[in-house]
């Protein structure tokens, strides 16, 4: 009897008899190990939104802009690492890739826990850890590419929808779990001493007053509880498919290829962070992407022909139109997930006070809502509704659904910007909080539905050979939203004009509305979808 984790030579899931007899069982096992592994990736990639909010409450000696920068660095590296991760499955095999990329998450998880034990930890250490947590973002591209190979065309929507949709719940899991584990010394003396809150904080179940002991280091350590068994599950329960990866090599050889590909991404992420210090973000990001693509083309050995073949997608104009539309949907979801906690903390954590002579100054809001109590709601709705978006798109057509949610995003973004402006300049910002949160939840819901519709469109527009690489590429570029949103919102909040960021996003959403109509919905569209 073959081992559960043996390489599979024969794999023909389009044959219904094979699927029912053998394929379905193997695919299901691989999917249900893949989902929690991807969920951990999302959690560790985006944990900086919650961690930086608590660092601010604990009085860590960093400015608000520096704290926003940590979320942005994680966003940048997570997006950049998706580019090389798109090629891992064909080169190194699914089992090898999922095992190693899940195990690598232990480095930022453990490192972050150790760094947070001491408020005097240098800022550059936090920058390095934020960069490494981007491994979790990169893992999406290889995870989706892997699961796609296990399911027949008729079941692609289910397999990819479950993997992506439940994987996205890593954002919500993190936003609920981190505030809770910081309230208790669950790891005892091993995790060190607590710190006392300087500003009020909160959890899902309520407010926590200043002076309360907090174990912020648990925000890193908690993930090891899940990652260690998951790495074992990946190694002993998943498979390499020889039809997808004819020559994965022995495990050590495969690990070398994976580390080489991620090494390129880490290198170009560092170059991107450096470029941001000397030039405009809108120049630095394209340079980072181009540098990554160029370096991947230069990798020697048997990786080279594989990558060259997959680069054929760049000659297809629909690769570029769908990239723009995936930025609209997934870019917004992941960007707002990263930026929302600290935005709540900064906009509502202070309020305007009018002096006797009429001058206004910003002072601490003693009754501010806690980001750690409320920020999970938007990503929860966005992730929950994603499979629904795919289902509706199967009925109506992906581009019709994308067009409708684009209109919603334009209107909601303008409205949110206006409410943020009112709250920032108010003597009672709390009165705007409910409307602010509802508008953000509407944007998360629209982007979640749009995630499903653009996913469905990619499956409709591209053939079997190009679908996987296009999915990896579009998800990589859209993931830069996790960098752009915290960066733009952080800068505009610092400048006292938070509405400008949201109005800028609304302009981009209007451009997406036109792109979608021009390519897929007008009378003479390139591809009618539907």
């Amino acid at each position: 009897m073959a081992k559960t984790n043996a390489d599979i030579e024969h794999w023909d899931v389009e044959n219904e008899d094979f699927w029912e007899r053998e394929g379905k069982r193997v695919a299901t096992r691989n999917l249900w190990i893949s989902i929690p592994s991807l969920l951990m990736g999302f959690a560790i990639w985006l944990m900086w939104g919650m961690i930086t909010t608590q660092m601010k409450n604990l009085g860590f000696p960093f400015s608000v802009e520096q704290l926003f920068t940590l979320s942005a660095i994680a966003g940048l590296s997570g997006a950049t690492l998706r580019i090389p991760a798109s090629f891992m499955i064909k080169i190194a095999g699914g089992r090898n890739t999922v095992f190693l990329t899940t195990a690598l998450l232990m480095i930022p998880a453990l490192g972050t826990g150790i760094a947070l034990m001491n408020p005097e930890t240098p800022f550059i250490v936090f920058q390095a850890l934020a960069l490494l947590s981007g491994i979790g973002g990169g893992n999406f591209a290889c995870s989706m590419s892997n699961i796609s190979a296990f399911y027949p065309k008729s079941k692609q929507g289910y397999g990819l929808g479950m993997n992506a949709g439940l994987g996205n719940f890593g954002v919500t899991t993190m936003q609920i779990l981190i505030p809770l584990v910081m309230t208790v010394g669950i790891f005892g003396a091993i995790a060190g001493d607590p710190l006392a809150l300087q500003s009020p904080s909160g959890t899902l179940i309520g407010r926590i007053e200043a002076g309360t002991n907090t174990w912020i280091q648990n925000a890193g350590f908690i993930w090891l509880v899940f990652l260690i068994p998951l790495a074992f599950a990946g190694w002993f329960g998943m498979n390499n498919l020889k039809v997808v990866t004819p020559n994965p090599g022995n495990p050590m050889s495969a690990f070398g290829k994976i580390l080489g590909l991620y090494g390129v991404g880490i290198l170009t992420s560092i170059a991107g962070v450096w470029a941001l210090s000397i030039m405009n973000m809108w120049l630095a990001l394209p340079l980072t992407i181009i540098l990554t693509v160029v370096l991947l083309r230069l990798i020697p050995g048997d990786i080279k022909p594989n990558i060259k073949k997959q680069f054929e997608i760049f000659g297809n104009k629909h690769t570029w139109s769908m990239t723009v539309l995936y930025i609209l949907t997934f870019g917004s979801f992941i960007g707002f997930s990263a930026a929302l906690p600290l935005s709540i903390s900064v906009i509502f954590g202070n309020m305007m006070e009018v002096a006797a002579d009429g001058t206004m100054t910003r002072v601490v809001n003693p009754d501010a809502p806690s980001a750690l109590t409320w920020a999970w709601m938007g990503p929860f709705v966005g992730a929950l509704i994603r499979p629904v978006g795919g289902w509706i798109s199967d009925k109506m057509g992906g581009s019709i659904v994308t067009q409708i949610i684009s209109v919603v995003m334009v209107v909601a973004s303008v409205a949110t910007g206006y409410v943020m402006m009112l709250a920032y300049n108010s003597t009672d910002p709390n009165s705007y909080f409910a409307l602010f949160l509802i508008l953000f939840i509407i944007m998360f819901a629209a982007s979640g539905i749009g995630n499903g519709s653009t996913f469905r469109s990619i499956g409709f527009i591209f053939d079997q050979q190009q679908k996987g690489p296009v999915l990896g590429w579009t998800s990589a570029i859209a993931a830069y939203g996790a960098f752009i949103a915290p960066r733009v919102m952080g800068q505009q909040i610092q400048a006292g004009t938070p509405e400008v960021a949201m109005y800028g996003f609304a302009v981009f959403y209007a451009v997406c509305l036109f792109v979608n109509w021009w390519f897929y919905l007008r009378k003479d569209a390139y591809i009618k979808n539907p």
Side-chain angles (χ1 to χ4, degrees):
M1 185 176 166
K3 289 192 300 182
T4 303
N5 65 351
D7 290 2
I8 296 175
E9 297 277 354
H10 175 67
W11 189 252
D12 182 17
V13 287
E14 297 303 334
N15 178 319
E16 203 168 320
D17 181 54
F18 175 85
W19 172 251
E20 290 298 334
R21 188 180 74 252
E22 186 178 335
K24 188 177 185 178
R25 174 177 48 80
V26 174
T28 301
R29 186 181 69 246
N30 279 267
L31 174 65
W32 286 101
I33 297 171
S34 175
I35 287 170
S37 300
L38 182 56
L39 186 146
M40 286 295 109
F42 270 102
I44 289 162
W45 180 29
L46 292 178
M47 66 183 178
W48 292 96
M50 301 304 269
I51 289 171
T52 51
T53 300
Q54 197 72 316
M55 287 168 77
K56 180 174 173 289
N57 292 335
L58 287 164
F60 275 66
F62 308 124
S63 69
V64 167
E65 189 164 7
Q66 281 180 306
L67 294 176
F68 267 110
T69 299
L70 292 178
S71 289
I73 288 172
L76 177 115
S77 69
T80 305
L81 289 170
R82 283 189 176 193
I83 301 173
S86 303
F87 308 116
M88 286 178 181
I89 301 301
K90 283 188 179 295
I91 293 164
R95 171 199 177 211
N96 298 333
T97 301
V98 175
F99 162 74
L100 185 60
T101 55
T102 302
L104 286 173
L105 294 172
M106 296 179 200
I107 299 171
L110 179 62
T112 299
I114 292 168
L116 288 170
M117 289 166 71
N118 181 9
E120 302 304 314
T121 300
F123 187 64
I124 192 169
V125 174
F126 287 111
Q127 288 178 302
L129 289 164
L131 192 89
L132 288 173
S133 69
I135 291 168
N139 288 0
F140 179 85
C142 53
S143 178
M144 295 299 282
S145 177
N146 183 48
I147 289 304
S148 176
F150 279 94
Y151 282 85
K153 287 179 185 177
S154 60
K155 304 279 193 302
Q156 287 280 310
Y158 167 79
L160 293 175
M162 291 293 283
N163 199 47
L166 296 180
N168 277 356
F169 268 110
V171 182
T172 304
T173 303
M174 173 274 298
Q175 289 181 333
I176 293 173
L177 192 58
I178 283 181
L180 288 173
V181 298
M182 289 192 293
T183 62
V184 189
I186 50 177
F187 299 110
I190 306 170
D193 298 324
L195 301 169
L197 285 170
Q198 294 185 11
S199 306
S201 181
T203 69
L204 181 63
I205 52 178
R207 181 182 171 91
I208 300 172
E209 297 300 336
T212 307
N213 278 345
T214 297
W215 288 263
I216 188 173
Q217 57 269 42
N218 289 354
F221 293 141
I222 188 63
W223 306 115
L224 297 172
V225 173
F226 307 104
L227 287 170
I228 293 167
L230 271 174
F232 278 101
W235 184 251
F236 291 107
M238 297 189 79
N239 305 95
N240 299 319
L241 296 178
K242 285 295 191 76
V243 292
V244 176
T245 319
N247 182 29
N250 63 53
M252 296 314 293
S253 159
F255 296 161
K257 295 173 189 174
I258 295 162
L259 292 172
L261 287 167
Y262 261 168
V264 169
I266 292 287
L267 198 65
T268 55
S269 296
I270 293 168
V273 173
W274 173 78
L276 285 162
S277 67
I278 59 168
M279 66 179 73
N280 182 284
M281 168 175 77
W282 304 109
L283 288 173
L285 288 188
L287 279 176
T288 305
I289 295 165
I290 291 165
L291 181 62
T292 307
V293 169
V294 168
L295 288 182
L296 286 172
R297 284 296 298 266
L298 295 176
I299 293 177
D302 62 352
I303 291 179
K304 193 165 190 167
N306 264 302
I307 288 180
K308 189 177 179 184
K309 176 129 186 74
Q310 293 188 50
F311 271 27
E312 289 172 5
I313 61 171
F314 297 134
N316 187 334
K317 61 180 170 286
H318 296 289
T319 298
W320 303 104
S321 60
M322 289 312 302
T323 298
V324 170
L325 296 176
Y326 206 59
I327 294 169
L328 157 78
T329 59
F330 182 75
S332 298
F333 170 83
I334 213 71
F336 292 144
S337 296
L340 185 58
L342 206 51
S343 297
I344 292 174
S345 182
V346 176
I347 292 172
F348 294 92
N350 297 285
M351 61 186 189
M352 289 297 184
E353 186 176 73
V354 185
D357 61 359
T359 56
M360 298 182 78
T361 52
R362 278 182 77 69
V363 297
V364 172
N365 175 7
D367 300 312
S370 172
L372 278 70
T373 302
W374 299 102
W376 64 274
M377 290 184 178
F380 175 80
V381 171
L384 188 68
I385 210 165
R386 180 175 183 152
V388 178
W391 178 78
I392 294 170
S393 300
D394 280 337
K395 306 289 183 191
M396 295 176 60
S399 295
I400 290 282
V401 176
T402 302
Q403 196 76 348
I404 294 167
I405 67 100
S406 298
V407 173
V408 173
M409 296 284 281
V410 170
V411 175
S413 192
V414 171
T416 305
Y418 184 67
V419 170
M420 287 168 81
M421 177 186 69
L422 294 176
Y424 188 87
N425 295 293
S426 174
T427 55
D428 180 23
N430 291 11
S431 61
Y432 296 101
F433 183 70
L435 183 56
F436 164 89
L437 192 62
I438 289 166
L439 286 167
F440 256 108
I441 288 171
I442 289 169
M443 287 197 292
F444 272 108
S447 66
I449 291 170
N451 277 334
S453 66
T454 47
F455 228 58
R456 192 264 184 188
S457 294
I458 287 172
F460 181 84
I461 293 162
F462 295 94
D463 63 28
Q464 196 65 28
Q465 290 303 309
Q466 291 201 326
K467 185 166 60 176
V470 168
L471 194 61
W473 169 260
T474 54
S475 76
I477 304 306
Y480 280 102
F483 169 81
I484 292 168
R487 181 89 171 186
V488 170
M489 290 172 76
Q491 287 173 344
Q492 292 304 322
I493 289 170
Q494 281 288 90
T497 53
E499 70 279 7
V500 172
M502 301 310 296
Y503 296 162
F505 295 145
V507 171
F508 171 69
Y509 299 151
V511 170
C512 293
L513 196 66
F514 174 78
V515 168
N516 188 57
W517 171 80
W518 179 262
F519 275 83
Y520 307 114
L521 290 176
R522 67 188 170 95
K523 186 181 175 187
D524 299 318
Y526 296 111
I527 293 175
K528 292 292 280 184
N529 177 30

